[in-house]
């Protein structure tokens, strides 16, 4: 048998990375992707409210339904999205609902003050 010095050198292996804390792991599994989409949709709704009352109302209802779907994916165990590994964050759900609330409030103010027409003028 060869001596110890004749054997090939053993390379040091790095210690395995420490497993992430529970907080960082859960934070990595939350998605904030709905926030910019909700802001863009709300901005388009506020811009189009110059021309018609229907635009902020319809886009507000779309955001309200989307917020309900996102909320269902966090709370409803019967929803198929409940079991996904990456769910929407609470802040994303809140921004979607705030955008819907803002658009619906804008539609109500335009309707009650009769500033914008119901249908766009040709």
């Amino acid at each position: 048998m060869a001596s110890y010095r004749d054997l090939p050198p053993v390379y040091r292996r790095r210690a395995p990375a420490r497993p992430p804390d529970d907080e960082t792991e859960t934070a990595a599994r939350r998605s904030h992707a709905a926030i910019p989409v909700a802001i863009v949709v709300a901005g388009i709704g506020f811009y189009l409210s110059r021309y018609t009352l229907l635009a902020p109302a319809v886009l507000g209802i779309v955001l309200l339904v989307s917020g309900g779907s996102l909320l269902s994916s966090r709370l409803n165990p019967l929803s198929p999205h409940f079991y996904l590994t990456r769910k929407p964050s609470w802040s994303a759900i809140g921004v979607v609902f705030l955008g819907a609330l803002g658009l619906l409030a804008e539609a109500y103010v335009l309707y009650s003050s009769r500033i914008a027409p119901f249908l766009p003028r040709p």
Side-chain angles (χ1 to χ4, degrees):
M1 172 141 194
S3 69
Y4 180 73
R5 292 182 185 172
D6 295 335
L7 294 175
V10 178
Y11 296 104
R12 281 190 198 165
R13 294 186 184 196
R14 290 186 178 175
R18 192 176 74 160
D21 296 340
D22 228 12
E23 288 181 22
T24 56
E25 186 176 317
T26 30
R29 287 188 275 156
R30 302 294 177 241
S31 173
H32 302 288
I35 294 175
V37 175
I39 290 172
V40 167
V41 169
I44 290 171
F46 286 127
Y47 177 75
L48 292 178
S49 66
R50 299 177 182 182
Y51 305 109
T52 178
L53 171 71
L54 288 178
V58 169
L59 291 177
I61 290 172
V62 165
L63 280 180
L64 192 66
V65 170
S66 300
S69 174
L70 292 175
L71 186 65
S72 173
S73 71
R74 288 297 302 258
L75 298 178
N76 185 8
L78 298 177
S79 170
H81 297 108
F82 181 79
Y83 299 102
L84 291 177
T85 58
R86 191 167 184 102
K87 295 180 183 181
S89 64
W90 288 109
S91 58
I93 295 171
V95 167
V96 170
F97 275 123
L98 283 176
L101 181 68
L103 285 173
L104 292 175
E106 175 77 11
Y108 176 74
V109 167
L110 291 174
Y111 177 74
S112 63
S113 64
R114 299 177 195 257
I115 294 175
F118 189 72
L119 294 174
R121 295 182 185 137

